[in-house]
Amino acid sequence: MVKKFIVGVIGAGRIGKLHIENLLGKVPDISLKIVSDVNVDDKLKQWADERGILKLTTDTNEIFTDPEINSIIIASSTDTHTRYIQEAANAKKNIFCEKPIDVDINRIKKTLEVVKNEGVKLMVGFNRRFDRNFMRVHEAVISGQVGNPQIIKITSRDPAPPPIEYIKISGGIFLDMTIHDWDMARYQAGSEVEEVYASGAVLVDPAIGKAGDIDTAVAVLRFKNGAIGIIDNTRQAVYGYDQRVEILGSKGCVLADNEATNTVRIYTAECTNIDKIPYFFLERYMESYATELKYFFNCLQNNQDPTPSGEDGLQNVLVAMAAQKSFKENRPVKISEVDK
Amino acid sequence: MVKKFIVGVIGAGRIGKLHIENLLGKVPDISLKIVSDVNVDDKLKQWADERGILKLTTDTNEIFTDPEINSIIIASSTDTHTRYIQEAANAKKNIFCEKPIDVDINRIKKTLEVVKNEGVKLMVGFNRRFDRNFMRVHEAVISGQVGNPQIIKITSRDPAPPPIEYIKISGGIFLDMTIHDWDMARYQAGSEVEEVYASGAVLVDPAIGKAGDIDTAVAVLRFKNGAIGIIDNTRQAVYGYDQRVEILGSKGCVLADNEATNTVRIYTAECTNIDKIPYFFLERYMESYATELKYFFNCLQNNQDPTPSGEDGLQNVLVAMAAQKSFKENRPVKISEVDK
Amino acid sequence: MVKKFIVGVIGAGRIGKLHIENLLGKVPDISLKIVSDVNVDDKLKQWADERGILKLTTDTNEIFTDPEINSIIIASSTDTHTRYIQEAANAKKNIFCEKPIDVDINRIKKTLEVVKNEGVKLMVGFNRRFDRNFMRVHEAVISGQVGNPQIIKITSRDPAPPPIEYIKISGGIFLDMTIHDWDMARYQAGSEVEEVYASGAVLVDPAIGKAGDIDTAVAVLRFKNGAIGIIDNTRQAVYGYDQRVEILGSKGCVLADNEATNTVRIYTAECTNIDKIPYFFLERYMESYATELKYFFNCLQNNQDPTPSGEDGLQNVLVAMAAQKSFKENRPVKISEVDK
Amino acid sequence: MVKKFIVGVIGAGRIGKLHIENLLGKVPDISLKIVSDVNVDDKLKQWADERGILKLTTDTNEIFTDPEINSIIIASSTDTHTRYIQEAANAKKNIFCEKPIDVDINRIKKTLEVVKNEGVKLMVGFNRRFDRNFMRVHEAVISGQVGNPQIIKITSRDPAPPPIEYIKISGGIFLDMTIHDWDMARYQAGSEVEEVYASGAVLVDPAIGKAGDIDTAVAVLRFKNGAIGIIDNTRQAVYGYDQRVEILGSKGCVLADNEATNTVRIYTAECTNIDKIPYFFLERYMESYATELKYFFNCLQNNQDPTPSGEDGLQNVLVAMAAQKSFKENRPVKISEVDK
């Protein structure tokens, strides 16, 4: 039987492997043809072999030039994204690209231009939009159940900071970590950000400060539709991966709490205990990665433009840039100041 | 200003004092005239003095014969209840009596006859019916929101057993402790019990077994309307005073959980902690005692018959008797077997 | 690479397919060689083809006689279980069999004898033991965190009754539905049942009564270690698939609530809304099916005897038989009365 | 018996009456001697009579010059606070004053000077510090259970806006409504505010905008100890009076949720329902008013300085002033800019 979508995957690191497993097990009518990675070693070969992946390569051109392949998943390092998106677009292949598209606004804009001219579809992997809880929040908002959004409140806290070496090349907390929250805030507000005020501090690890970054951050967003956003981040919430979203609207409030590890309560003579919330982002968002891929291919199937789009990817980076500037200058910064 | 209801209180022990404080602070249009107790010592005098209670006596006749007093609250020991109810009724005074009315079915019946003949009102103090949570459950049931009741499930667990000396004279767990649950089950089922199967064991303290009682009990009830009840009791739930009610109906299920000590959750690297549920019955049911008294006087005001009525008091004792027999003979027992 | 466990699956109905998908996607080091079903039609062929299953047959002998196959999963209809278990045991293959083993106690006993003599391993598919919540309850119990079990309370309610045709051949609610709860109660109590009292009624659908069954049931269990169990069942909880377990112990209480559909709360001017609990048993227990298969093969790997064992399967049926007798005769029945 | 504390109350409006009822019913060893109000009408006379209050006056001097009175509760309108505090202090009486002390920083400072010179005690009525939930949060913080505070997050939303006439004289949302949150943030952070950024909008009612105020506000606080605060307010949360506090610390997170109206959940075929959270601030904070008065007299008894102190009252107004300036100029404002 011939499958409709023949897929190539660029990048077989942690997130690339996750996408591949979802493609194989959870997305129907897909055929995975080629996987490329900068480093094809025995371990990767064995991993691919166990999953029945027929072709591994270090040469991405094999993917771009394969006439059968019509969809490409880009899960390589961020600095390669715009190049691969452009090459894929030039090869007339639809694209699913991990976030962020890039950290340079002009490069992103030029890339989106190429995508537009070639007429292919592009989706950026802001997977949290596909978390069942946050989708349910969105549904409550767009159905009108809570009225017009007035305050968008996002709590997004990592359980532990990444290695300092990673921090140094991360682009800073607002681009590396808050990027998900800019996207979530825009998604739930249903409006673009006009102005951002960002504040923060080094409260977790002085080494993060020495590396030129902060580890605790808050931001206030002003949306074009009048709504206000507030986001708080930390690199280290020792009690687990804390991910909550709340929308106050004119008719009510909708709130998504953390996923629980289990539903068990233990009552003792001292207190009542509940197990910790899941610690790691893959545990929490596992399902969302499969849901986003299914959605992407469903859009291709129905010739719809998937979101988060390339424009979403651009806007999220613009907000991050404005937040960085705001934090540095300790003043609210309009998006128009960084989008020239 | 002359108050409409002039009240006498018989019995100023723990529960009598509680009723007095509620009368003074929370029931409007009430004047407390006389308090009687078998033991009027200096401590009680001071307690009464601080609350502006004008008259303390050891002679209940002063209450029964006072022409101004029109309502009597009986909070003396159980063995005096039927006598005082009859005297009060003969004196044409309305009566609020603590539960249980008595432990002898014939005495109860004779007393209810007197009350009926004298045409006064009688309410029995099954205060849990006035707990805001269980009232809310009842509202969901009688409004039809959960449909016809099918399973009535009650969890009722004390935090610690009473002294062995108390156990010995308590009448047994089914009459002393489960009596509240028989009443709650009948209240929520909206029907009388037809048959009961009771089981139990000594799992908490062997001394309770030596005293001829059990400390852990379960019962299955068959109601005349077809509903089934299940109750579980223990004399010792070390984690606090566990009081829950659940009604499965044809259109849904309504469930009242325990009251929390506070709404605080503490998330740490080990687990999430919630403070223990309140330990003592007065903490949990404090509000219900005031609500029941307000309701009683409101019924008098509007010339309505208050419930739980004397008949409720009788039925609860009948179910307890059937449960005792069921436990002893290890077989289901019909109420008609003990109500001859 | 040669896999350690070469597996044959008998029965490719709903539950068989579920096991097959778990074998393919979630159990490591497994090779699925043959699938048999009484009805191999085009639809099944396509389903198998899409999953890369190489051999489909209607002849179970191809599985029993295949020298490579060392483990067999039996997911065929209940009336075939004992025959296939015996054939598999005679062929020296390890066995995972769906519950119940059979409805005839003597046939079960004879079958377990064969399994024992052949020295193969047998596990019975009481999957709820592998639900993450109920496993967590068990952990709290066996770790001593809540002390000695005193009351085991199980709520187990289906969202909607099965077709009347199914009811007629189901063996009755105590064997068909409560069978899971007998197993859960024994698992959590850590003890065997000595006596059972079962009660019930037709409250959901008179047609169920006409078919000779009941649709609402409660049971009280006495365990050999002194603990007491209470179970309540209904064929129709319109609000979803209600599955809760609670253990009161001497040092505390552990309680597993229902899994939520999501963590979202919607606060409006009228009330607060939470989405319904999942409706269907596959949604709720999906994960447990994969966990039990992983556990089964892990036991084989480490040469451990898996549980729930054949003896567990037997005990659960014995309790069901005693419950049926108890309900019919309206009296507590000892297991010894039905295990002659 | 002579009571230790003879009390005069100035102001018998809503909050004054609440304090009086708490004094009479819930604070031990107190004697209420005189109540003054600008308007002593028949309704107030009857109210006082029913509570056994012996003396009502329109002349506050009767309180200040009464030699027996040693403690004064000021619950009159805000514009009279500093005058009465000074007169009470000059009369050597201890003072409990409703918040805010005043809206003029210099008047507050001068008043605190008088209090200090006269050597009397002054407590300001920020009652939310005495809410059992927020006290429990504080306990988790000061006990070190959640480590050093890093993010203080306060949600404080009124169910409905006050009348526009009130808005006009309220001093603005930051002084009228957020004043409680400035105090809560400082209380939980255990540190003074250094800088505030405030943002807001008119999203609820354009009439509020016309009156020169906003109805939706957020603020970011920087504390001297490095912690960051975030507050969100609305004048209209249609789902009830939403009051939550959360502290992220280096060792965990503590969170106080809203008080529930009851513990009942209703599961239906459509969804699960929970009753609305209480709508009105008196319902939510009733208990805290009694607790704060008990604490105040307990401090007097033990010769301890009560908090929130006059200095707390001052700091809260300073933060409000900085927030107003921040909102107007759309930039972060240091407290030192408004405290000259």
Side-chain angles (χ1 to χ4, degrees):
Chain A
M1 198 179 71
V2 180
K3 301 293 174 58
K4 184 137 189 187
F5 298 107
I6 315 292
V7 184
V9 173
I10 300 176
R14 188 171 62 180
I15 201 75
K17 280 179 178 149
L18 178 65
H19 286 315
I20 289 167
E21 297 207 317
N22 280 329
L23 278 176
L24 295 173
K26 297 187 177 160
V27 184
D29 284 334
I30 290 297
S31 177
L32 173 58
K33 187 163 182 192
I34 310 180
V35 172
S36 81
D37 196 84
V38 287
N39 182 20
V40 177
D41 57 13
D42 285 352
K43 208 173 146 191
L44 182 59
K45 275 180 195 160
Q46 187 188 327
W47 184 89
D49 188 46
E50 286 170 8
R51 279 150 190 85
I53 296 166
L54 300 177
K55 189 160 185 187
L56 265 182
T57 179
T58 57
D59 180 8
T60 52
N61 273 327
E62 296 197 43
I63 292 174
F64 295 128
T65 59
D66 187 302
E68 269 193 341
I69 286 176
N70 48 27
S71 317
I72 295 181
I73 290 172
I74 302 175
S76 49
S77 62
T78 299
D79 60 318
T80 65
H81 286 178
T82 52
R83 178 155 55 89
Y84 289 153
I85 292 173
Q86 292 184 39
E87 289 190 47
N90 289 336
K92 301 288 186 194
K93 293 169 193 325
N94 296 306
I95 305 151
F96 176 97
C97 181
E98 263 310 305
K99 57 99 227 167
I101 298 180
D102 199 281
V103 297
D104 181 285
I105 288 165
N106 289 328
R107 256 201 313 265
I108 298 173
K109 287 185 171 176
K110 193 185 148 198
T111 302
L112 297 188
E113 198 64 29
V114 172
V115 169
K116 192 181 167 194
N117 291 340
E118 297 289 4
V120 296
K121 297 200 185 303
L122 168 63
M123 175 172 167
V124 182
F126 287 99
N127 62 292
R128 291 186 195 176
R129 290 195 187 198
F130 298 91
D131 174 73
R132 59 179 173 161
N133 304 298
F134 301 150
M135 280 196 289
R136 185 67 186 82
V137 168
H138 192 56
E139 189 187 313
V141 172
I142 59 173
S143 70
Q145 200 175 359
V146 295
N148 297 323
Q150 296 173 338
I151 298 179
I152 318 293
K153 192 154 78 173
I154 297 173
T155 298
S156 175
R157 301 171 183 168
D158 279 355
I164 291 298
E165 290 316 305
Y166 175 85
I167 293 277
K168 285 177 182 167
I169 60 156
S170 70
I173 193 169
F174 295 116
L175 195 62
D176 177 59
M177 187 173 158
T178 327
I179 192 90
H180 278 292
D181 308 311
W182 309 130
D183 188 66
M184 181 57 63
R186 294 174 53 254
Y187 170 59
Q188 300 289 5
S191 178
E192 294 300 342
V193 176
E194 194 163 79
E195 186 183 273
V196 58
Y197 171 72
S199 187
V202 179
L203 298 176
V204 172
D205 184 356
I208 294 175
K210 276 181 203 149
D213 203 356
I214 54 175
D215 50 37
T216 308
V218 302
V220 174
L221 303 171
R222 304 297 306 247
F223 289 93
K224 286 182 176 162
N225 65 1
I228 300 175
I230 42 177
I231 295 168
D232 76 88
N233 293 149
T234 178
R235 287 286 193 185
Q236 181 175 290
V238 298
Y239 56 95
Y241 187 46
D242 190 351
Q243 300 282 304
R244 286 171 281 159
V245 167
E246 174 181 340
I247 316 294
L248 169 71
S250 52
K251 291 187 189 164
C253 185
V254 53
L255 194 150
D257 206 341
N258 286 299
E259 290 274 338
T261 300
N262 54 55
T263 67
V264 174
R265 284 182 173 219
I266 301 176
Y267 299 84
T268 69
E270 288 74 41
C271 69
T272 302
N273 286 299
I274 300 174
D275 282 351
K276 290 183 60 170
I277 54 177
Y279 192 81
F280 194 45
F281 84 95
L282 285 181
E283 293 168 80
R284 165 64 191 263
Y285 287 121
M286 187 56 86
E287 190 181 275
S288 71
Y289 285 105
T291 308
E292 71 172 356
L293 275 197
K294 277 186 272 191
Y295 163 81
F296 173 66
F297 285 103
N298 196 53
C299 285
L300 297 190
Q301 178 74 38
N302 297 301
N303 196 27
Q304 290 168 342
D305 291 324
T307 55
S309 66
E311 181 63 24
D312 286 310
L314 171 63
Q315 288 296 328
N316 293 337
V317 174
L318 283 169
V319 180
M321 296 296 171
Q324 284 178 333
K325 192 175 181 65
S326 169
F327 173 66
K328 209 168 287 171
E329 303 178 6
N330 195 26
R331 65 172 183 89
V333 169
K334 291 210 181 314
I335 301 306
S336 58
E337 293 189 52
V338 294
D339 182 25
K340 287 170 268 205
Chain B
M1 198 179 72
V2 179
K3 301 294 174 59
K4 184 138 190 187
F5 298 107
I6 316 293
V7 184
V9 174
I10 299 174
R14 187 172 63 181
I15 201 76
K17 281 181 177 146
L18 178 64
H19 286 315
I20 289 167
E21 299 208 314
N22 281 329
L23 279 175
L24 294 173
K26 297 188 175 159
V27 184
D29 283 333
I30 290 298
S31 176
L32 173 58
K33 189 164 180 192
I34 310 179
V35 171
S36 80
D37 197 84
V38 287
N39 182 20
V40 177
D41 57 12
D42 285 353
K43 209 174 146 191
L44 182 58
K45 276 180 194 159
Q46 187 188 326
W47 184 88
D49 189 47
E50 286 169 8
R51 279 153 189 83
I53 296 167
L54 299 177
K55 189 160 184 187
L56 264 182
T57 180
T58 57
D59 180 9
T60 52
N61 273 326
E62 296 197 43
I63 292 174
F64 295 128
T65 60
D66 188 302
E68 271 194 338
I69 287 177
N70 49 25
S71 317
I72 295 181
I73 291 173
I74 301 173
S76 49
S77 61
T78 299
D79 59 319
T80 65
H81 286 179
T82 51
R83 177 157 54 91
Y84 289 153
I85 291 174
Q86 293 182 39
E87 291 190 46
N90 290 335
K92 301 288 184 193
K93 294 171 192 323
N94 295 306
I95 305 150
F96 176 97
C97 181
E98 263 308 305
K99 58 99 222 166
I101 298 180
D102 199 282
V103 297
D104 181 285
I105 288 165
N106 289 327
R107 257 199 315 264
I108 298 174
K109 286 185 173 177
K110 193 186 147 198
T111 302
L112 298 188
E113 198 63 28
V114 173
V115 169
K116 193 182 167 192
N117 291 339
E118 297 290 4
V120 297
K121 296 199 186 302
L122 167 64
M123 174 170 166
V124 182
F126 287 100
N127 63 293
R128 292 187 194 175
R129 291 197 187 196
F130 299 90
D131 174 74
R132 59 178 171 163
N133 304 298
F134 302 150
M135 280 195 288
R136 184 67 186 84
V137 168
H138 192 58
E139 188 188 313
V141 172
I142 59 173
S143 70
Q145 200 175 359
V146 297
N148 297 323
Q150 296 173 337
I151 298 178
I152 318 292
K153 192 154 78 174
I154 297 173
T155 298
S156 175
R157 300 171 182 167
D158 278 355
I164 290 297
E165 291 315 306
Y166 176 85
I167 293 278
K168 285 177 182 166
I169 59 156
S170 70
I173 194 168
F174 296 116
L175 195 61
D176 177 60
M177 187 173 160
T178 327
I179 191 90
H180 277 293
D181 307 312
W182 309 131
D183 188 65
M184 181 57 63
R186 293 174 52 254
Y187 170 59
Q188 300 290 5
S191 178
E192 294 301 342
V193 175
E194 195 163 79
E195 186 183 275
V196 59
Y197 171 72
S199 187
V202 179
L203 300 176
V204 171
D205 184 355
I208 294 175
K210 276 181 204 149
D213 204 357
I214 54 175
D215 50 37
T216 307
V218 302
V220 174
L221 304 171
R222 303 296 307 246
F223 289 93
K224 285 182 178 162
N225 66 0
I228 300 174
I230 42 178
I231 295 168
D232 76 87
N233 292 150
T234 178
R235 286 285 193 186
Q236 180 175 289
V238 298
Y239 56 94
Y241 188 46
D242 190 351
Q243 300 282 304
R244 287 172 279 160
V245 167
E246 174 181 340
I247 317 294
L248 169 70
S250 52
K251 291 187 188 163
C253 186
V254 53
L255 193 150
D257 206 341
N258 286 297
E259 289 274 338
T261 300
N262 55 55
T263 67
V264 174
R265 285 182 174 220
I266 302 176
Y267 299 84
T268 68
E270 288 73 41
C271 68
T272 303
N273 285 300
I274 300 173
D275 282 352
K276 286 183 62 170
I277 54 177
Y279 191 80
F280 194 44
F281 84 95
L282 286 181
E283 294 168 79
R284 166 61 191 265
Y285 287 120
M286 188 55 87
E287 190 182 276
S288 70
Y289 286 104
T291 307
E292 71 173 355
L293 276 198
K294 276 186 272 189
Y295 163 81
F296 173 66
F297 286 103
N298 196 53
C299 284
L300 298 190
Q301 177 74 39
N302 298 300
N303 196 27
Q304 290 168 343
D305 292 323
T307 54
S309 65
E311 180 64 24
D312 286 311
L314 172 62
Q315 288 296 327
N316 293 337
V317 174
L318 283 170
V319 180
M321 295 297 168
Q324 285 179 333
K325 192 176 181 67
S326 169
F327 173 67
K328 209 168 288 172
E329 304 178 5
N330 195 27
R331 64 172 182 89
V333 169
K334 291 210 181 312
I335 301 305
S336 57
E337 294 187 51
V338 293
D339 182 24
K340 288 170 264 204
Chain C
M1 199 178 72
V2 179
K3 301 293 172 60
K4 185 136 187 188
F5 297 107
I6 314 295
V7 183
V9 173
I10 299 175
R14 187 172 64 178
I15 201 75
K17 280 178 179 149
L18 178 65
H19 286 316
I20 288 166
E21 297 207 317
N22 281 329
L23 278 175
L24 295 173
K26 296 187 177 160
V27 184
D29 285 334
I30 290 296
S31 178
L32 173 59
K33 191 164 179 189
I34 311 179
V35 171
S36 80
D37 197 83
V38 286
N39 183 21
V40 177
D41 57 12
D42 284 353
K43 208 174 148 192
L44 183 59
K45 274 180 196 160
Q46 188 188 327
W47 184 90
D49 187 47
E50 285 170 9
R51 281 151 188 84
I53 296 166
L54 300 178
K55 190 160 185 186
L56 265 182
T57 179
T58 57
D59 180 7
T60 52
N61 272 327
E62 295 196 43
I63 292 174
F64 295 130
T65 59
D66 187 302
E68 268 192 341
I69 288 176
N70 47 28
S71 318
I72 295 180
I73 291 172
I74 301 173
S76 48
S77 62
T78 298
D79 60 318
T80 65
H81 286 178
T82 52
R83 178 157 55 92
Y84 289 153
I85 291 174
Q86 292 184 40
E87 289 191 47
N90 290 336
K92 300 289 185 193
K93 294 172 196 318
N94 294 305
I95 305 150
F96 176 97
C97 182
E98 262 310 306
K99 59 99 222 167
I101 298 181
D102 199 281
V103 297
D104 181 285
I105 289 165
N106 289 327
R107 257 200 315 265
I108 298 174
K109 286 186 172 175
K110 191 186 150 198
T111 303
L112 297 188
E113 197 64 30
V114 172
V115 169
K116 192 181 167 195
N117 292 339
E118 298 290 4
V120 297
K121 296 198 186 306
L122 168 63
M123 176 170 166
V124 182
F126 286 100
N127 62 293
R128 293 186 194 176
R129 291 196 187 197
F130 299 91
D131 174 73
R132 59 180 173 160
N133 304 298
F134 302 151
M135 281 195 288
R136 184 66 186 85
V137 168
H138 192 58
E139 189 188 313
V141 172
I142 60 172
S143 71
Q145 201 175 357
V146 295
N148 297 323
Q150 297 173 337
I151 298 178
I152 318 293
K153 193 154 77 174
I154 297 173
T155 298
S156 175
R157 301 172 183 167
D158 278 356
I164 291 297
E165 292 314 306
Y166 176 85
I167 293 276
K168 285 178 182 166
I169 59 155
S170 70
I173 194 170
F174 295 116
L175 195 63
D176 178 59
M177 187 174 160
T178 328
I179 192 91
H180 278 293
D181 307 311
W182 309 131
D183 188 65
M184 182 57 64
R186 294 174 52 253
Y187 169 60
Q188 300 290 3
S191 178
E192 293 300 343
V193 175
E194 195 163 78
E195 188 183 273
V196 59
Y197 172 72
S199 187
V202 179
L203 299 176
V204 172
D205 184 356
I208 294 176
K210 276 183 204 149
D213 203 357
I214 54 175
D215 51 37
T216 307
V218 302
V220 174
L221 304 171
R222 304 297 307 246
F223 290 93
K224 287 183 175 161
N225 65 2
I228 300 174
I230 41 177
I231 295 169
D232 76 86
N233 293 149
T234 178
R235 286 285 192 188
Q236 181 175 288
V238 298
Y239 56 94
Y241 187 47
D242 189 351
Q243 300 282 305
R244 286 172 280 159
V245 167
E246 174 181 340
I247 317 294
L248 169 70
S250 51
K251 292 186 187 165
C253 185
V254 54
L255 194 150
D257 206 340
N258 286 300
E259 290 273 338
T261 300
N262 55 55
T263 68
V264 174
R265 284 180 175 221
I266 301 176
Y267 300 84
T268 69
E270 287 74 41
C271 68
T272 303
N273 286 299
I274 301 174
D275 282 352
K276 289 183 62 169
I277 54 176
Y279 191 81
F280 194 44
F281 84 94
L282 285 182
E283 292 168 82
R284 164 63 191 264
Y285 287 121
M286 188 55 87
E287 190 182 276
S288 71
Y289 286 105
T291 307
E292 70 172 357
L293 275 197
K294 277 187 269 190
Y295 164 81
F296 172 66
F297 286 103
N298 195 52
C299 283
L300 297 190
Q301 178 75 38
N302 297 300
N303 196 28
Q304 291 167 342
D305 291 324
T307 54
S309 64
E311 180 63 23
D312 285 311
L314 171 62
Q315 288 296 328
N316 293 337
V317 175
L318 284 169
V319 180
M321 295 298 170
Q324 285 178 332
K325 192 175 181 66
S326 170
F327 172 66
K328 208 166 290 172
E329 305 178 6
N330 195 26
R331 64 172 183 91
V333 170
K334 291 210 181 315
I335 301 305
S336 57
E337 293 188 51
V338 294
D339 183 24
K340 287 169 265 202
Chain D
M1 199 179 72
V2 180
K3 301 293 174 61
K4 186 139 188 186
F5 297 107
I6 316 293
V7 184
V9 173
I10 299 174
R14 187 172 62 180
I15 201 77
K17 280 180 179 146
L18 177 65
H19 287 315
I20 289 167
E21 298 210 314
N22 281 328
L23 278 175
L24 294 173
K26 297 189 176 159
V27 184
D29 285 333
I30 291 297
S31 176
L32 174 59
K33 190 164 180 190
I34 311 178
V35 171
S36 80
D37 196 83
V38 286
N39 182 20
V40 178
D41 56 13
D42 285 352
K43 207 173 148 193
L44 182 59
K45 275 181 195 159
Q46 187 188 327
W47 184 89
D49 188 47
E50 287 170 6
R51 281 153 188 83
I53 297 166
L54 301 177
K55 190 160 184 186
L56 265 182
T57 179
T58 57
D59 179 9
T60 52
N61 273 328
E62 295 198 44
I63 291 174
F64 296 129
T65 59
D66 188 302
E68 269 194 339
I69 287 177
N70 48 27
S71 317
I72 295 181
I73 291 172
I74 302 173
S76 49
S77 64
T78 299
D79 60 319
T80 65
H81 286 179
T82 52
R83 177 156 56 91
Y84 289 153
I85 291 173
Q86 292 183 40
E87 289 190 47
N90 290 335
K92 300 288 186 195
K93 294 171 193 325
N94 295 306
I95 305 149
F96 176 97
C97 181
E98 261 310 304
K99 58 99 222 165
I101 298 179
D102 200 281
V103 297
D104 181 285
I105 288 165
N106 289 328
R107 257 200 313 266
I108 298 173
K109 285 185 173 175
K110 193 187 149 200
T111 302
L112 297 188
E113 198 64 27
V114 172
V115 169
K116 193 182 166 193
N117 291 339
E118 297 290 5
V120 298
K121 297 200 186 302
L122 168 63
M123 176 169 164
V124 183
F126 286 100
N127 63 292
R128 292 186 194 174
R129 290 195 188 199
F130 299 90
D131 173 74
R132 60 179 172 162
N133 304 298
F134 301 150
M135 280 196 287
R136 184 66 186 86
V137 168
H138 193 57
E139 188 188 313
V141 172
I142 60 173
S143 70
Q145 200 175 357
V146 296
N148 297 322
Q150 295 173 337
I151 299 178
I152 319 293
K153 193 154 78 174
I154 298 173
T155 298
S156 174
R157 301 172 182 167
D158 279 355
I164 291 297
E165 291 314 305
Y166 175 86
I167 293 276
K168 284 177 182 166
I169 60 156
S170 71
I173 194 169
F174 296 116
L175 195 62
D176 177 60
M177 185 173 161
T178 327
I179 191 90
H180 277 294
D181 308 312
W182 309 130
D183 188 65
M184 182 56 63
R186 293 174 52 254
Y187 170 58
Q188 301 290 5
S191 177
E192 294 301 343
V193 175
E194 195 163 78
E195 187 183 274
V196 59
Y197 171 72
S199 188
V202 179
L203 300 176
V204 171
D205 184 357
I208 294 176
K210 276 181 204 150
D213 204 356
I214 54 176
D215 52 36
T216 307
V218 302
V220 174
L221 303 171
R222 304 296 307 245
F223 290 93
K224 286 183 177 162
N225 66 2
I228 300 173
I230 42 179
I231 295 168
D232 77 87
N233 292 149
T234 179
R235 286 285 192 186
Q236 181 176 288
V238 297
Y239 56 94
Y241 188 46
D242 189 352
Q243 300 282 304
R244 286 172 281 159
V245 167
E246 173 181 340
I247 316 295
L248 169 71
S250 51
K251 291 187 188 163
C253 186
V254 53
L255 194 149
D257 206 340
N258 286 299
E259 289 274 338
T261 299
N262 55 54
T263 67
V264 174
R265 286 181 174 220
I266 301 175
Y267 300 84
T268 69
E270 288 72 42
C271 69
T272 303
N273 285 299
I274 300 174
D275 281 351
K276 287 183 62 170
I277 54 177
Y279 191 81
F280 194 45
F281 84 95
L282 284 181
E283 293 168 80
R284 166 61 190 264
Y285 287 121
M286 189 54 87
E287 188 182 277
S288 70
Y289 286 104
T291 308
E292 73 173 355
L293 275 197
K294 277 186 270 189
Y295 163 81
F296 173 64
F297 286 102
N298 196 53
C299 284
L300 297 189
Q301 177 74 37
N302 298 301
N303 197 26
Q304 290 167 344
D305 292 324
T307 53
S309 65
E311 179 64 24
D312 285 312
L314 172 61
Q315 288 295 329
N316 293 337
V317 175
L318 284 169
V319 180
M321 296 297 170
Q324 284 178 333
K325 193 175 179 65
S326 170
F327 173 66
K328 207 168 290 173
E329 304 178 7
N330 195 24
R331 65 171 182 90
V333 169
K334 291 210 181 315
I335 302 306
S336 56
E337 292 188 52
V338 294
D339 182 24
K340 287 169 264 201

